[in-house]
Amino acid sequence: MKPKSLTLFFLLGLLLGCSKEISVTSNQVKGSESPLYSLNGKEHLVEFQALYRSSYTQTKDIDIETLTSEIKRTAQFLFGPLTYRSLGGIQKGEKIQVLADQAYVQNERVIIPYYYQATWLLRAEAIDENNFQLPLPYSIPDLRTAQWKRCTDSGEGHNTWDFFWYYWEPGRYGCDHRLGEQYQMISVKVGAETPQTQLSFPEYKRLIHDENGEPTLAMTFAFGYIEDTFPPNPFHDSDYGMTQFQNFYARVKSQLSALGYTEQPIYQKDVSSGASVIGSQFTGMKENVRVRVSVVAAAGVDQMELFAHSYAKKHEGFFAWFGHSRVGSGFDADRFAAKLRYNPQEFSLTADYQLVYWAGCNSYSYYTLPFFELKAKMNPESDPSGTRNLDLISNVLPSLFSFNDYNAQVLFQALLNWNTPTSYQKIVSQIEKYANMSGTKVIVNVLGDEDNPK
């Protein structure tokens, strides 16, 4: 996807791409078994050295812990160039080594070299001879120039200081950030590729949990608005996020009703508070297993509440989110952890196996490792990494709202038909190929399946 196309996608959505209509039907996309996860990208260890321009005036004042934290916040600005240039995304868990012994004073400010190492998921064609260059700020305060808003996306709500880290790109027209003044060019060295699981599957049997003595497969498919509507009416609102919800709901209703499933409304009060209907729940039996499928919209209910209700209250086997990632604006792993901590009587983690699909933009960078860390606390001895009881499907680069109905169908059919298992490789292939047909590069990743039985 060309940078100018990516800019257009950003204009209509925050952190998730725009609603772009495409005329691709599901039978045009034929997924096939592939020995690799992604057609569009690969995961690599990367490293670089850079300089940090601190507020210290003397080298003896350096505090390593504080400095490391400041550098990590500065490194977040790599998201802008990586996304704007359609290169890839960053996995949380980066390692920063401050080279304090090499610090020096320049123009009454201490300059500190540092070493960065992390795992990135990158488009293969974006890498040239295992090295490429990216702009990186010397420090965040240096970026607040007279024309700093010209260095970010022009979409409504995007050119704010809070989200500057996500959209910053000094190559944008009119940006007054200059090389050697506000930012440096770093040479990113691409190292070893993460070994990919050759053929893996969701652990279908373990997705079936015991609920009051009855084996139950519970799935929630949650959809978000592009722009919040008040008062919300998800079954009739013309917001493109809701048309995707309506399309998927109609398909699920048609298929499950024909199989004798019953339907009942989901109200706001079932999740949080309020009297409006926000979705439907379908219930039926298959091979002596009770199947419960919830199709719900974030209509007057925060997406955090929908996730927590499914994942940490009902402890359902599967949860999927199709909407804005909203990182930094209401939903992230730290806030979810706080919700668990302050509401233990209502929310908790389960040692049962679960599968989560984050279909928003760059969810690979936000909602992966932290959730494994939380899960690992349930069984630190038998599941120290958290991957035994959790699999995560996530995206790198912006995904469009127009993909949501199709992507939800891919997962719905894969899980409902557990007697004919669908591999993660086929799931990834289907999702990526559908996006490719619109000219959009979405990189899909699966984490946690390396310890799944074959």
Side-chain angles (χ1 to χ4, degrees):
M1 183 169 56
K2 296 179 180 179
K4 63 179 181 181
S5 300
L6 184 59
T7 302
L8 175 61
F9 296 158
F10 278 148
L11 294 179
L12 296 179
L14 172 63
L15 299 184
L16 183 69
C18 74
S19 54
K20 176 183 176 185
E21 185 63 62
I22 54 176
S23 56
V24 181
T25 58
S26 59
N27 60 9
Q28 289 177 276
V29 183
K30 297 180 180 179
S32 58
E33 301 292 351
S34 167
L36 300 175
Y37 283 127
S38 174
L39 303 171
N40 298 330
K42 296 181 179 180
E43 193 177 73
H44 287 265
L45 186 70
V46 305
E47 59 185 13
F48 62 80
Q49 283 194 314
L51 300 175
Y52 181 74
R53 185 184 291 153
S54 73
S55 59
Y56 302 125
T57 58
Q58 302 180 72
T59 56
K60 66 182 182 63
D61 296 330
I62 293 176
D63 179 272
I64 298 296
E65 184 175 351
T66 301
L67 191 61
T68 301
S69 179
E70 292 176 357
I71 290 173
K72 284 187 176 182
R73 287 194 294 272
T74 302
Q76 279 189 307
F77 282 76
L78 289 165
F79 278 99
L82 279 168
T83 303
Y84 186 81
R85 304 177 190 199
S86 301
L87 299 179
I90 301 168
Q91 187 182 97
K92 280 192 174 181
E94 67 278 351
K95 297 178 181 179
I96 305 292
Q97 180 184 356
V98 176
L99 305 176
D101 59 332
Q102 299 179 29
Y104 57 93
V105 178
Q106 184 181 74
N107 297 327
E108 299 183 345
R109 291 175 66 179
V110 176
I111 309 297
I112 305 102
Y114 64 91
Y115 174 76
Y116 172 103
Q117 186 181 71
T119 298
W120 292 6
L121 188 53
L122 298 165
R123 284 181 60 188
E125 59 266 46
I127 304 169
D128 182 20
E129 297 181 355
N130 297 325
N131 285 276
F132 61 95
Q133 290 193 320
L134 287 176
L136 179 66
Y138 287 115
S139 75
I140 297 175
D142 288 339
L143 298 180
R144 199 183 276 272
T145 56
Q147 300 295 326
W148 69 267
K149 289 189 177 182
R150 296 284 187 91
C151 308
T152 184
D153 185 74
S154 59
E156 183 179 356
H158 297 181
N159 55 355
T160 65
W161 189 252
D162 287 342
F163 292 109
F164 193 38
W165 63 272
Y166 186 87
Y167 295 108
W168 176 77
E169 165 58 71
R172 294 180 187 271
Y173 179 77
C175 178
D176 62 351
H177 292 170
R178 300 290 177 261
L179 179 64
E181 296 180 17
Q182 286 79 28
Y183 71 93
Q184 61 202 297
M185 293 299 293
I186 58 170
S187 181
V188 180
K189 182 180 179 181
V190 181
E193 179 185 347
T194 301
Q196 298 195 53
T197 308
Q198 294 299 302
L199 191 63
S200 59
F201 296 82
E203 295 192 55
Y204 285 90
K205 290 184 179 180
R206 297 183 66 215
L207 284 174
I208 299 172
H209 299 169
D210 182 277
E211 289 191 6
N212 300 316
E214 185 173 33
T216 302
L217 173 59
M219 298 180 273
T220 289
F221 296 82
F223 290 76
Y225 282 75
I226 291 180
E227 297 291 342
D228 290 333
T229 301
F230 299 99
N233 187 343
F235 287 95
H236 295 92
D237 287 335
S238 59
D239 177 274
Y240 204 78
M242 289 305 98
T243 63
Q244 293 292 290
F245 161 79
Q246 293 155 18
N247 291 344
F248 181 67
Y249 162 76
R251 298 177 197 277
V252 171
K253 180 181 177 69
S254 176
Q255 180 174 347
L256 296 185
S257 295
L259 297 174
Y261 282 57
T262 60
E263 179 182 2
Q264 66 181 49
I266 299 174
Y267 295 92
Q268 290 171 328
K269 64 182 179 181
D270 294 330
V271 179
S272 180
S273 61
S276 298
V277 175
I278 60 172
S280 279
Q281 180 177 286
F282 300 89
T283 306
M285 297 294 295
K286 178 180 178 180
E287 300 174 6
N288 298 316
V289 174
R290 180 167 294 279
V291 179
R292 186 175 69 243
V293 181
S294 298
V295 183
V296 65
V301 176
D302 190 86
Q303 72 184 63
M304 168 77 86
E305 299 295 336
L306 294 175
F307 172 68
H309 183 76
S310 168
Y311 184 79
K313 186 173 183 178
K314 289 194 169 184
H315 299 137
E316 294 182 329
F318 175 76
F319 175 86
W321 169 253
F322 305 91
H324 294 308
S325 290
R326 281 189 59 222
V327 64
S329 64
F331 186 31
D332 59 37
D334 291 337
R335 295 187 185 187
F336 175 70
K339 192 175 189 66
L340 296 175
R341 188 164 56 251
Y342 294 119
N343 300 279
Q345 71 286 353
E346 187 173 5
F347 301 105
S348 64
L349 297 179
T350 176
D352 289 336
Y353 169 73
Q354 292 171 289
L355 169 60
V356 176
Y357 175 26
W358 299 114
C361 290
N362 287 331
S363 51
Y364 169 85
S365 301
Y366 314 138
Y367 306 130
T368 51
L369 292 189
F371 283 96
F372 286 116
E373 292 169 0
L374 289 172
K375 197 74 166 180
K377 295 178 181 179
M378 298 303 300
N379 286 305
E381 294 184 2
S382 61
D383 188 21
S385 64
T387 60
R388 182 69 186 93
N389 295 313
L390 179 63
D391 290 348
L392 293 177
I393 306 173
S394 58
N395 288 343
V396 173
L397 300 179
S399 178
L400 307 188
F401 272 87
S402 54
F403 303 155
N404 288 346
D405 169 35
Y406 176 81
N407 292 348
Q409 289 182 61
V410 169
L411 269 298
F412 175 62
Q413 298 302 334
L415 296 180
L416 186 65
N417 299 303
W418 65 74
N419 48 348
T420 54
T422 303
S423 71
Y424 279 130
Q425 287 71 24
K426 184 174 182 177
I427 290 171
V428 168
S429 176
Q430 288 177 301
I431 294 171
E432 288 191 346
K433 284 182 178 179
Y434 189 76
N436 288 350
M437 293 179 73
S438 76
T440 303
K441 290 291 185 182
V442 174
I443 304 174
V444 183
N445 180 264
V446 181
L447 293 173
D449 65 320
E450 58 270 23
D451 47 18
N452 291 14
K454 300 297 183 183

